[in-house]
Structure formats: C-alpha cells, structure tokens
Amino acid sequence: MGMVKLPSQIYGEWIWKQSLADRPDSYLLMRKEFVCSSVGLETNLWISANCNYLLFVNGRFAGFGPRAHQNCGTSYIDQHDITYYLESGINVIAVQVYYTSDPESRNRRVPGLWCQVESSGQEILRSDRSWFIHDGGSCCGNRPRISPGLGMTQYLNAELMPKNWINQMFLPDSTWTHPDWSKPVGEFGARLELHPLPPPSINDEHPAFTVEEHGKVGGEPNWTQVLFKRAAGESGETYAAATYLFCEEAQELPVKLFTDDPFKLFCNNRLAADAACRCGEDDLLLLEPGWNRLLLIQNPSRHSMGFLIIFPDTEFGRELRIYQDMVDTTAPAWSTVGPLKLTLAEATPSLNFTRLQVTSYLPHLGDLTDPASVLNSCRFESDPSPAKSLGSCDYVLFRLDTLRYGFARLTIDASAGDIVDITLGMRRNSRGFISSGEQVKGTGTLICRAGRNDYLTCIPGDCFYVMVSVRKASRRITVDNIIFEELYRLERRECTFSSSDALLNRFWEVGRQTLRRSAAFVPLSESRPDHDCYMLDAYIDAVNMAAVFGDFDYMTARLRQFIDAQLENGDIPALTYGVRHASQIHHLFFLPIWIFYNYRFSANRVELERSVSALDLTREYFEAMLDEETGLLVDVETRFGLHSRLSYGEFQEGDIPTYLNAMFCRFLLSAADVYRVVELPDSAYHCIRLAQKIAQQLTAYNYDPEVELFSRWPLSQKREPDHNLFANFCAMFGGVLSLESFEHFFYSFFNYDPPFDRSSESQHPYFHFLFMEMLFAIGQRDWAFRYFRDYWERRLCDESGTWRISLDSKDPAPTKFSDGSCVSPNIFLLREVLGIRIAEAGHSVIYFNPALNLVDWAEGTLTMARGRLKVKWEKLDDGSLDVTLDSNVPVKILPEMSHRLISNTTFRLGEQVTLLNPPAELVEDDEGEAEE
C-alpha cells in the first residue's frame, strides 16, 4: 500500500501544443531524456494530465492516470515509484496524453501534462518547454463512441506512429517539436492535488491468454455508411448526405441505424428517424415503388463515426444497394454537402443539392468506422485445425483465466495497410461476438505498418476475451504475442477464508477478485455515467476492502473523498467527473453508518473527529428539508433528479416516501452512535428524539393497520396504497417498524423455502446487502444463510469468475461504482461464518460466534488495526468443538456461546489472546434450558 507524499517543492508547469489547446479528442506524444548516475536510490515521479496519460519509463509501461478529481478546476497528482525502471546513464520518460471534452465541449481543466521527478529528495526532471512533443494524429481516426455519452473507441494508424518512440535509443526527427503552450500550476483549471492513495500498480506476472478458437467471419450484413470527412466538429455545424434506393413495389424496410451525433433521416418526404444518437434500435423505412431518396442531415462531432445503416437479413435486404443518383449505373455512393447555414432543428426534406458544392462518398470495408456493429451482425464459424496465421475475414479468440481489469497488449506482424479489428469484452453473445454489455462497443481498429505492430489498449477496462479479426490483409497476419497488463492495488495484509463448504469458498474468491478490480478502477476526467461513484456503492466496497484486505487506508480515503466533495449547504453529490452532476440524496443516509464503520475498523479517532463537522452539516441539511406541517421529508422524489436509485416508482408532488423518511431515522440513530463516541451527548440526544418524532409521524401518515404494513406513500391520498417490500424493509432497517413485526413482514414478502423471493425488488444488490445486514443483526442467521447461498449462487458467472450483473442477465457485472455493480458478500463470510465480529474499535475486543449449523469447519486470518488474528475451528466426530485463536498483538475474545457449548469446546489460545466470559444473556439461556 505505502504512503503518498508531495515533492518537497512543486516545480514545472502544464505543457501542451497550442494548435491542440481547443481541440477535443486530441493525442500528444511527449518524451524527455535525462541522465541518472545513482541507480538504486529512491526515485519518485509525480504526474498529472488532462484528461489521461499512459506512462512509459525506458520503454516499459509504468502507469496510467490520473484518477479523475470531482472538482472540475483541479487535477489529481499520481505518485509513481520508478526506482526499478531506471538504468545508469541515459533514461527516458515517455508519455502519451489524451485530451477531450464532454459532448457539449465543456472542459474547464487545462489540457496537457504536468510532471516532476525527484531522486533522494533532489529534483532531476520537470515538465517544461524543453520536452519533445509529437502530434498524436495516428490515434485520431473517425470512430464511434463506446456507448452513448461515453468516450471514443480506440484507433491506431501504426504507419503514422513514430516507431519505438518510447525507448532510449529513439532519435526524434524534424516532426518532433517543443511545447509552445504552457500554464503555471495553481490557476483555476490547472490546480493540483495529491491523490490520497497510490495509483494502481501493473502486475509484472502478466496473466496469460489461451486460444479459445479461431475461424472465419461469415454472414457479413448488407450495410452502408456515410462519413463527413470535411467536418471539423465545430459546435452545431450541419452537414447533409443523400442517396437513392430502388424497389419494384411499396414495402416497409426494417433497418438498424448507428450514429453518435444528432440527426434527421428522411425517406422521400417522410421523417424516418430523428434522435440525438442511435445504437442499433429498429427503425422503419417506408419505400414507394421506384426510386426512393434517403436524406440524412446531421451535426457531426470531431472524428465522428458518421452514420451507419445495416439492412435486414432478408432476400431483399441482402440484395439491396444504394445509388448516388436515380440511374442504376451510378456508383453505390452518397452525395454530401456542408457545412450548411441550415440548422438541424429547421431541416426539412426539401433540401436540394443542385446549387451546392457536392462531394461523393463511396463506403467501403476499409473505411468502416463502426466495425463492432457490423461484426455483431456476422457469424463466427470455428475451424478445428490449429491456428497459425490469419488472412482476410479470419478471426482468433483469446481468453483469460478470469475477468481482469487493465490493458491488453498485442504484437502483430502484418503488411503495410492491413486492417485488424481488436475487440475486448466480458462474454460471447449468441452470435459468437464479444460483448461488454448492452449497447457497449469494445472494438478498436489497427491500421498496420509493415512488420511489427505494437497495440496497447489506451484506457483500462474489464477483459475476459480478446478477439482479433482481420478486415483486410495483403498477406497472412500473425499474432506474435498477447499479454494482459493488469492493474491492481498492492495489498500486503490480505485476509484469508476457507470452510468445509466449497460454494462459500467460491463466493470468497469471486468477491476477492471483484474487490481487486474495483480497488484498481481509474475514473476518467470525462462526463461518463459509468464512472460516477455513489456513496452506497463506495461504502459497501470500502467495508469489504477493510474486511478482506485489511485496507483501512483505502476505506478512510474513499470516505474522505465524499466528505471533501461536500457542498456548502451540507449536500454531497455523487463523485462525478467532467461537468456532470448527479444527486445522491438518498445515498447520504449512509454517511454516519460509514463514518462509524470506519472508526470501528481502524480505531482512528482523529479521522472520526474530523468527520463530525461534515456529519453536522448533512444532518442540518436534512433537517432543513423537513416539512413544517408534517415534520417529514416531503417531495424529495420530485424535487431532485435522483440517480443510481435505491427505489423505483412513481411519486407525486406532496408525497411522503416511506423509504426516505425511514432511512433518515437510520441516519439519525447512526449519527447518535458517532456523537456518543466523540462525547457530544446533546447532539446524540437530539438525534434520538428527532428519530422518534419522525417514526411517530411516518406511522401516522403511512402505516396501514389493516394489513400491518407501511404504504410507499400516505394512506390519505386518492391512490391505492402500495405496501411494497422496499418501503417496509426500510421501515424495519430504520427502526420504525418494530422487531415484533418481523414475522409478519417476512411472510408478506418471502417464503421460508425456495423460491424465497416474492418480489423482484429483493434481487437488487443494494437490497440484498442491506437485508443481510439487518437479518444477521436481529439474529435470523439460519434462514438468512439459506437465502444468502441461493442469491449469490444464482449471481455466479462461472465462465468468467465474476458476479452476473443481475439474476436475469448473462452479462458479468462491470467494474463501476453505481447500481450495486461492485457489491460482494465477503464481509459476511468472515463475520457470520468464521464468526469474528468487532466488539470494540480496532478489534481490541472481538465477538466470536462460529456458524456451527452452517459448516463443519472454517479457518481464516483477519487483519486488525494493529495486528493479525488467526482463527480455526472444527466440529469433531464426538460432537465437541475445537477452536484455535492466535494473534501477534493483545486481543480479547468474547464468545457469544452458551456455557454448555463452551464446556464442550477446546480453546487453543495464543499468548496474546485472552478469553472473556460470555454475555449474561447466554448464561440465562443456559439456566432456562436446564430448568426445562
């Protein structure tokens, strides 16, 4: 893990190329040589970039970043230890920097690179105008976005990329220049802040790929595309294209449309489609007998993919072709015009090209900008013979041992101008193509140079499969090497768990790998919804990281990021990057729970006290929203655009949502726990009294005594009451619904035997995690574990070693911090199966309550705030229990076991372990059993 620190003094400046300063979707290659005479001394490199960098030291891939900062005027610094990359003599730092903006072209961070290197505290390198730079146009072809609103897919024209530019022996030629744009550190948009955690490391072991299959790509669909090559991507510029179709009789022609930019498509004089983008949704062209004019009017962005149409797999669709004019001898091309004075909003089918400057565009396979959409419509015909080399329309499929997060690196031997499409993904779909999720494109394009071609994916992602498909080859192509550059967070205090139940062991390993990926996740400085981070997701991830890896630094740093993002009024939005803003008011109820958990794990009193002011402000924020008449939270669902929602449903103005008010009660009760620890009894009392008042008022408005359940909204409204699961679960979780009501609640929404669920609401990862917390807390362990095993077994994706995104989906859950994607059950395995639960902060006192009814034995090691604890227990054939507890620091164990069970247990205790007497209530239980 290691500590991060800033250099002794900040030097250097942001450097860039002036001509690219306002050009989103730009790459710049940057390098700097320096002499190192004292190899082996600690050498640190601090680096930041907007929007991201690939870092190479002496030709070796050393890192990626920076992790995006939630403040649009600030960028995080990553600290890399590069000591072991350096050599005596000349060394080189090489950086590929990518700059972009969101679709509205708003990015208030300055473009460019900032860098500084120190060896044993002495500065040896900084970013300044002495660096060499080269335009990265080799990476900027026309290509699609990964998905609507996300970044661009990858493109590399190796013929234009300087060969070996990352190595020491490379000599820059006249195409390399020096930065002509710079900006001092500290101004808005150029501010720097050290990230509280080291950047993820690159796994030197390079997980191996194996060949899954190879064969032919067949069944290519009939398609056409139009590309506005003259478009500069200036905001709002309008271009148009026209072509013709011929048919003998009137018919409805279903088509699939693909584009990332706003458009209107007219068929004759009828508007056929009009949208901000299209991702293959089914559209319909109403064709008339004879010639039919297709007119596309669009606002293409910089390096836009243009517009792709895939025709249906029918006899007419396969034979259909386009004509540039109403003559069947003309080329299958489009006529294009633009830029136009006409705006897209005012575009009509009356647009006539006669008096405009027309350019012909002839679509062909080598110019295809969206290969993923075409490949997804193809067939993949496997060849059982050994794979040796590839020709045109051949493919080879590689796979890893499990889903991993990082970069694929390939070395391909090819001829100049050969075109290879490289697709990364998590599973194969029904056609055999590689998928990373619905409407997600994971295909990059490589335009080859003669000989060796090095291809490294430019941003990290989830990978299980890599497909290499050859679009065009003048001779045979070979994949000489393929490795995976896995990102991971270095952990030195990992915990262990195993038991007699192989399925639980499988849960542990899949959860462990899920946590490894989430801890390495690098959010980008772009307005990407898939990179948003929500509090509940981060909280669940953090407590699991603390439990599984003993990584209390990670847990504290993640909590601090949210606290630092707090607005002046007490609200804390989701951590978003670029210019997005996402409300997570309903996630804020978990703030005091996380603060208290963080203290319980780490015993960090200083951090706890630092958090109190943020907790005060958020509490006051909620209290200010309480309705004066009802004393409850009203209209929250309609006033705020809640994202990554905890609950779904239609709320109306004036509604009092049960789940929000019940969760506010939970907030107040947990806040009281925090205030008691920091010795603020008045604040604790205030929270308890307010929680009682809210519970009373909520019961008066929303509790239905006829069915003994809460409605989602007040009973007085004209709508029928909705006694749904989530509202009543939150009422019990928040202490509003009494524990005496549990049995009625349980049988209203669950079955004792499979199938357990009566509502689909219980299948969401958010619900399941919180429901398990509640069930174990109130002592419902036996049924809870039957339900736990059933749920997580159905979530298993055995092929890729992951959790499926949901019970009704085959897609593995992607690495992200929203919608419960990173939720894992590991903490419950340690706490409820191994039986180790914190009694006092920092594990100074630990409850021991092994799950004797669930497994025959369990063992594990636990990382505590100040040491390690080893636990092993086993039920013996004679019915007795054998327990081993050992620690390298003093620890007290409080068994939650009856005297009868303790008397039948052999405890083997290490010198630092003290066994305490069981709680009084367990002694009373023993006496009650004896009297009976």
Side-chain angles (χ1 to χ4, degrees):
M1 289 175 278
M3 298 295 292
V4 292
K5 59 182 180 180
L6 283 169
S8 53
Q9 185 172 343
I10 296 289
Y11 297 103
E13 54 191 356
W14 288 91
I15 56 174
W16 196 242
K17 185 175 182 179
Q18 181 66 50
S19 62
L20 299 180
D22 295 314
R23 306 296 285 178
D25 192 35
S26 297
Y27 286 86
L28 199 61
L29 312 181
M30 315 177 81
R31 57 177 277 132
K32 176 70 174 178
E33 292 183 356
F34 64 99
V35 175
C36 184
S37 57
S38 303
V39 176
L41 298 178
E42 180 184 359
T43 304
N44 287 304
L45 179 147
W46 291 268
I47 187 171
S48 188
N50 187 21
C51 293
N52 59 65
Y53 66 82
L54 288 167
L55 171 67
F56 303 89
V57 180
N58 293 334
R60 295 176 61 187
F61 183 33
F64 174 86
R67 291 154 290 182
H69 197 291
Q70 63 271 17
N71 185 330
C72 64
T74 305
S75 296
Y76 272 130
I77 301 173
D78 289 335
Q79 177 187 341
H80 296 273
D81 183 347
I82 62 170
T83 307
Y84 300 105
Y85 291 100
L86 300 182
E87 303 172 3
S88 181
I90 296 177
N91 293 262
V92 63
I93 302 293
V95 189
Q96 176 178 295
V97 180
Y98 177 62
Y99 171 69
T100 191
S101 61
D102 67 5
E104 287 78 34
S105 299
R106 295 174 295 173
N107 189 338
R108 287 182 279 182
R109 293 185 180 93
V110 299
L113 170 76
W114 174 88
C115 181
Q116 186 169 326
V117 179
E118 286 187 2
S119 182
S120 297
Q122 298 297 313
E123 185 222 346
I124 59 174
L125 181 149
R126 68 176 73 172
S127 51
D128 55 28
R129 296 197 181 203
S130 68
W131 284 54
F132 277 99
I133 62 172
H134 189 282
D135 194 315
S138 55
C139 304
C140 293
N142 294 92
R143 61 207 192 280
R145 293 190 175 274
I146 297 168
S147 193
L150 304 190
M152 309 286 279
T153 58
Q154 189 160 345
Y155 173 92
L156 175 61
N157 188 333
E159 292 187 291
L160 303 179
M161 172 72 76
K163 192 174 183 178
N164 299 322
W165 72 276
I166 63 175
N167 297 325
Q168 296 120 299
M169 303 305 294
F170 177 80
L171 294 176
D173 59 20
S174 60
T175 62
W176 288 77
T177 59
H178 296 289
D180 57 359
W181 183 97
S182 62
K183 189 169 186 175
V185 171
E187 297 182 21
F188 184 82
R191 296 172 187 160
L192 291 172
E193 182 179 313
L194 182 67
H195 197 285
L197 296 171
S201 303
I202 297 172
N203 188 351
D204 291 333
E205 296 180 359
H206 298 307
F209 282 94
T210 57
V211 177
E212 179 82 353
E213 69 175 48
H214 73 103
K216 281 283 184 185
V217 181
E220 180 186 328
N222 189 5
W223 60 272
T224 184
Q225 77 170 17
V226 61
L227 189 60
F228 301 106
K229 293 198 170 184
R230 291 185 296 172
E234 299 298 334
S235 179
E237 277 194 343
T238 304
Y239 288 76
T243 193
Y244 292 87
L245 300 173
F246 183 85
C247 63
E248 297 289 347
E249 56 187 29
Q251 63 175 288
E252 296 180 349
L253 178 66
V255 294
K256 292 185 180 295
L257 307 179
F258 301 85
T259 188
D260 296 322
D261 301 312
F263 74 96
K264 288 182 178 179
L265 178 66
F266 296 95
C267 180
N268 300 317
N269 289 322
R270 184 180 291 110
L271 181 65
D274 175 14
C277 63
R278 269 290 195 271
C279 293
E281 295 87 348
D282 292 325
D283 286 284
L284 204 62
L285 300 181
L286 302 180
L287 302 182
E288 300 171 356
W291 291 101
N292 294 264
R293 185 192 191 217
L294 293 186
L295 172 64
L296 171 71
I297 304 173
Q298 188 169 37
N299 295 142
S301 56
R302 179 170 159 83
H303 299 141
S304 166
M305 67 161 282
F307 196 88
L308 172 68
I309 303 175
I310 294 182
F311 296 110
D313 188 19
T314 62
E315 182 177 355
F316 177 74
R318 288 189 293 269
E319 295 178 355
L320 186 67
R321 62 159 284 181
I322 63 171
Y323 299 87
Q324 190 169 4
D325 207 342
M326 291 187 290
V327 180
D328 60 10
T329 57
T330 56
W334 292 75
S335 297
T336 67
V337 296
L340 305 173
K341 293 184 290 183
L342 178 70
T343 64
L344 182 61
E346 296 175 331
T348 63
S350 61
L351 179 61
N352 193 309
F353 290 11
T354 305
R355 287 172 290 182
L356 301 176
Q357 183 179 349
V358 175
T359 302
S360 177
Y361 175 77
L362 179 66
H364 59 91
L365 189 61
D367 209 29
L368 178 64
T369 58
D370 186 6
S373 297
V374 172
L375 286 168
N376 195 42
S377 299
C378 293
R379 298 189 306 272
F380 295 86
E381 300 160 357
S382 177
D383 182 346
S385 64
K388 295 182 179 179
S389 60
L390 305 172
S392 295
C393 298
D394 285 347
Y395 76 94
V396 60
L397 181 65
F398 302 92
R399 63 172 282 178
L400 291 165
D401 58 334
T402 188
L403 185 73
R404 297 182 183 272
Y405 180 78
F407 309 81
R409 182 195 285 270
L410 297 90
T411 303
I412 295 175
D413 185 78
S415 301
D418 289 351
I419 303 177
V420 178
D421 295 311
I422 300 167
T423 306
L424 276 64
M426 298 190 290
R427 74 172 183 90
R428 299 189 75 179
N429 62 21
S430 58
R431 288 180 170 269
F433 190 52
I434 305 305
S435 169
S436 288
E438 188 176 353
Q439 295 187 349
V440 177
K441 299 171 184 177
T443 302
T445 295
L446 170 65
I447 311 297
C448 299
R449 64 159 63 99
R452 173 178 170 143
N453 293 264
D454 294 312
Y455 182 94
L456 175 68
T457 48
C458 58
I459 59 172
D462 294 316
C463 180
F464 183 60
Y465 287 111
V466 174
M467 176 181 281
V468 178
S469 51
V470 180
R471 197 190 314 175
K472 173 190 170 186
S474 57
R475 64 173 179 83
R476 303 295 287 181
I477 285 175
T478 58
V479 181
D480 293 338
N481 191 30
I482 177 170
I483 61 173
F484 194 73
E485 304 275 14
E486 182 182 27
L487 289 183
Y488 74 104
R489 175 165 164 76
L490 182 61
E491 302 288 357
R492 295 191 176 95
R493 301 190 298 176
E494 184 172 349
C495 304
T496 62
F497 170 85
S498 61
S499 73
S500 59
D501 189 324
L503 184 59
L504 297 185
N505 299 339
R506 179 71 171 146
F507 292 169
W508 175 267
E509 182 57 27
V510 173
R512 174 181 166 273
Q513 291 294 342
T514 300
L515 292 168
R516 275 175 59 93
R517 294 193 301 275
S518 64
F521 182 69
V522 180
L524 303 180
S525 298
E526 302 176 30
S527 297
R528 296 177 55 147
D530 63 329
H531 282 200
D532 293 349
C533 180
Y534 291 84
M535 182 172 287
L536 182 52
D537 296 84
Y539 156 70
I540 294 173
D541 174 70
V543 297
N544 268 308
M545 285 293 293
V548 176
F549 294 103
D551 200 340
F552 311 127
D553 292 341
Y554 178 92
M555 185 181 192
T556 299
R558 296 294 275 161
L559 174 60
R560 177 53 50 186
Q561 281 185 298
F562 281 95
I563 290 176
D564 289 346
Q566 187 174 44
L567 305 180
E568 291 80 0
N569 66 345
D571 187 14
I572 303 177
L575 302 183
T576 57
Y577 314 103
V579 295
R580 275 179 56 79
H581 177 89
S583 174
Q584 61 161 13
I585 288 173
H586 49 341
H587 285 242
L588 288 191
F589 299 124
F590 297 92
L591 177 63
I593 300 175
W594 191 352
I595 291 172
F596 193 61
Y597 249 115
N598 190 57
Y599 171 69
R600 299 272 287 174
F601 268 108
S602 66
N604 189 335
R605 175 88 180 208
V606 173
E607 186 64 31
L608 178 69
E609 292 176 348
R610 280 184 66 195
S611 304
V612 169
S613 60
L615 178 59
D616 288 340
L617 201 56
T618 299
R619 174 176 57 79
E620 293 163 6
Y621 171 70
F622 281 125
E623 289 181 15
M625 284 198 288
L626 293 174
D627 180 66
E628 292 185 2
E629 180 180 347
T630 63
L632 297 168
L633 295 173
V634 179
D635 284 342
V636 175
E637 287 276 352
T638 55
R639 287 168 57 192
F640 300 95
L642 303 181
H643 295 75
S644 196
R645 300 176 68 90
L646 301 180
S647 179
Y648 293 86
E650 294 298 324
F651 286 88
Q652 300 176 0
E653 186 176 352
D655 272 346
I656 302 171
T658 293
Y659 88 96
L660 286 175
N661 284 279
M663 292 306 298
F664 186 37
C665 287
R666 178 72 270 162
F667 174 99
L668 292 166
L669 296 175
S670 297
D673 291 335
V674 174
Y675 289 133
R676 277 192 288 263
V677 174
V678 296
E679 300 175 1
L680 294 172
D682 292 343
S683 296
Y685 178 76
H686 169 81
C687 289
I688 296 295
R689 289 293 300 145
L690 183 57
Q692 291 172 341
K693 291 179 181 179
I694 291 174
Q696 291 170 359
Q697 286 294 94
L698 185 61
T699 301
Y701 278 91
N702 290 19
Y703 184 70
D704 190 341
E706 292 186 9
V707 296
E708 299 179 33
L709 294 170
F710 276 86
S711 170
R712 289 174 58 209
W713 43 66
L715 300 178
S716 58
Q717 295 184 350
K718 296 179 180 179
R719 285 181 293 171
E720 287 292 319
D722 180 4
H723 310 98
N724 78 330
L725 166 63
F726 198 73
N728 285 276
F729 160 71
C730 289
M732 183 157 285
F733 188 79
V736 180
L737 194 61
S738 68
L739 291 181
E740 288 76 16
S741 304
F742 174 77
E743 185 172 348
H744 179 69
F745 159 81
F746 176 84
Y747 284 108
S748 296
F749 301 106
F750 296 94
N751 300 314
Y752 186 76
D753 293 311
F756 296 112
D757 300 293
R758 294 187 184 182
S759 167
S760 60
E761 286 182 289
S762 60
Q763 297 176 6
H764 196 286
Y766 286 160
F767 174 85
H768 182 81
F769 188 90
L770 299 175
F771 189 44
M772 289 299 100
E773 284 272 27
M774 186 186 79
L775 289 178
F776 290 130
I778 64 177
Q780 299 293 329
R781 180 191 258 185
D782 290 344
W783 185 88
F785 253 106
R786 293 173 62 214
Y787 184 65
F788 175 91
R789 283 172 54 89
D790 176 76
Y791 175 83
W792 287 107
E793 184 175 19
R794 289 189 291 154
R795 283 281 308 276
L796 273 175
C797 180
D798 286 319
E799 180 187 24
S800 57
T802 61
W803 308 120
R804 289 188 288 130
I805 197 168
S806 65
L807 297 180
D808 56 0
S809 172
K810 295 181 180 179
D811 288 331
T815 303
K816 64 175 187 174
F817 287 91
S818 56
D819 301 316
S821 191
C822 61
V823 172
S824 285
N826 296 59
I827 190 172
F828 298 119
L829 297 174
L830 290 174
R831 202 170 66 190
E832 306 300 336
V833 179
L834 189 60
I836 297 298
R837 185 161 53 89
I838 300 172
E840 292 187 8
H843 300 85
S844 58
V845 180
I846 293 175
Y847 291 120
F848 178 57
N849 187 8
L852 303 178
N853 295 332
L854 302 174
V855 294
D856 295 327
W857 62 265
E859 63 178 307
T861 54
L862 182 74
T863 298
M864 303 179 292
R866 298 177 182 85
R868 302 267 286 179
L869 174 69
K870 180 180 179 180
V871 181
K872 182 177 181 179
W873 61 263
E874 181 180 8
K875 292 188 294 186
L876 303 180
D877 294 339
D878 62 3
S880 64
L881 181 65
D882 188 87
V883 177
T884 299
L885 298 164
D886 193 14
S887 174
N888 62 349
V889 295
V891 62
K892 298 176 182 178
I893 303 294
L894 181 59
E896 291 186 303
M897 303 161 61
S898 66
H899 271 257
R900 181 174 300 176
L901 179 56
I902 290 175
S903 66
N904 200 28
T905 299
T906 300
F907 285 97
R908 308 178 193 279
L909 306 178
E911 294 181 358
Q912 304 268 33
V913 178
T914 302
L915 193 68
L916 303 178
N917 290 325
E921 60 266 21
L922 293 177
V923 176
E924 293 171 1
D925 289 345
D926 269 352
E927 294 172 350
E929 290 175 11
E931 291 175 3
E932 290 177 7

